């Protein structure tokens, strides 16, 4: 899908007219019409407002939804409602809403503590063996941004 198709579908799903959408985004109705006709696309700042307005990622708006992975726990972010938010409400596609919220990590923990907190959610959801789960997480977590050496957790939400 193209941006014009995604944007138009989201606007209609919310029951908004082009005028109402334009007012929410601080643009003209003609701009909204041109986006929906595929003549132009919004600038990055407006794209961020649209993302926030519809609570979807920019990747989704651009017609390329990607399976993102939480860079703290490794959970696939298969739905935009699982993606964390910054303090201003903007989506942060790096983390799930359980690991990161309101612009900061929801808890400080070690890698081993993260494994322990993830185990109950994994067992029975495609994982039957606790030892296999632990081994998988022990291999996965060091590859994620939060756990790479030299990264300070206070910088990761930026």
């Amino acid at each position: 899908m193209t941006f014009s198709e995604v944007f138009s579908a989201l606007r209609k799903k919310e029951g908004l007219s082009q005028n109402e959408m334009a007012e929410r985004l601080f643009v003209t109705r003609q701009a909204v019409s041109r986006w929906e006709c595929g003549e132009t696309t919004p600038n990055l700042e407006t794209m961020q407002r649209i993302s926030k307005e519809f609570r979807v990622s920019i990747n989704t708006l651009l017609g390329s939804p990607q399976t993102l992975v939480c860079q703290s726990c490794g959970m696939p972010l298969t739905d935009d409602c699982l993606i964390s938010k910054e303090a201003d409400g903007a989506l942060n596609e790096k983390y799930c809403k359980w690991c990161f919220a309101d612009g900061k990590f929801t808890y400080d923990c070690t890698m081993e503590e993260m494994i322990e907190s993830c185990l109950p959610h994994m067992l029975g959801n495609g994982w039957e063996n606790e030892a296999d789960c632990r081994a998988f997480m022990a291999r996965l977590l060091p590859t994620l941004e939060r756990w790479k050496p030299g990264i300070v957790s206070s910088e990761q939400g930026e």
Side-chain angles (χ1 to χ4, degrees):
M1 289 182 83
T2 65
F3 170 79
S4 62
E5 294 168 323
V6 172
F7 178 74
S8 180
L10 288 169
R11 177 184 64 78
K12 290 172 183 173
K13 180 180 173 188
E14 293 287 321
L16 298 170
S17 68
Q18 287 185 343
N19 280 330
E20 291 167 324
M21 189 81 257
E23 287 175 13
R24 287 187 180 194
L25 297 173
F26 309 107
V27 298
T28 65
R29 187 208 51 81
Q30 289 81 3
V32 172
S33 176
R34 285 193 305 270
W35 298 340
E36 290 188 0
C37 291
E39 294 172 13
T40 62
T41 55
N43 63 30
L44 182 57
E45 182 180 311
T46 304
M47 191 73 75
Q48 289 171 323
R49 281 198 306 266
I50 295 168
S51 170
K52 190 174 177 181
E53 182 72 30
F54 290 127
R55 299 163 308 282
V56 298
S57 69
I58 290 176
N59 284 333
T60 297
L61 287 174
L62 295 175
S64 301
Q66 299 174 348
T67 301
L68 304 170
V69 175
C70 176
Q71 293 298 301
S72 179
C73 69
M75 181 178 81
L77 301 174
T78 55
D79 192 334
D80 287 339
C81 72
L82 301 175
I83 296 173
S84 67
K85 293 187 180 178
E86 294 290 348
D88 66 359
L91 294 176
N92 180 327
E93 296 180 339
K94 287 184 180 182
Y95 304 106
C96 72
K97 65 181 182 180
W98 294 283
C99 288
F100 190 87
D102 296 323
K104 60 185 180 212
F105 286 104
T106 54
Y107 49 86
D108 257 341
C109 65
T110 65
M111 208 179 306
E112 185 56 39
E113 290 168 332
M114 177 61 75
I115 291 170
E116 289 301 315
S117 69
C118 290
L119 280 177
H121 304 287
M122 294 174 72
L123 292 171
N125 285 312
W127 293 90
E128 301 304 323
N129 182 303
E130 189 173 315
D132 290 345
C133 249
R134 281 183 197 285
F136 172 77
M137 292 298 286
R139 287 189 310 272
L140 174 67
L141 291 187
T143 68
L144 302 176
E145 189 173 314
R146 182 175 186 186
W147 307 107
K148 287 186 179 177
I151 295 185
V152 179
S153 65
S154 65
E155 296 173 347
Q156 292 180 2
E158 297 176 359

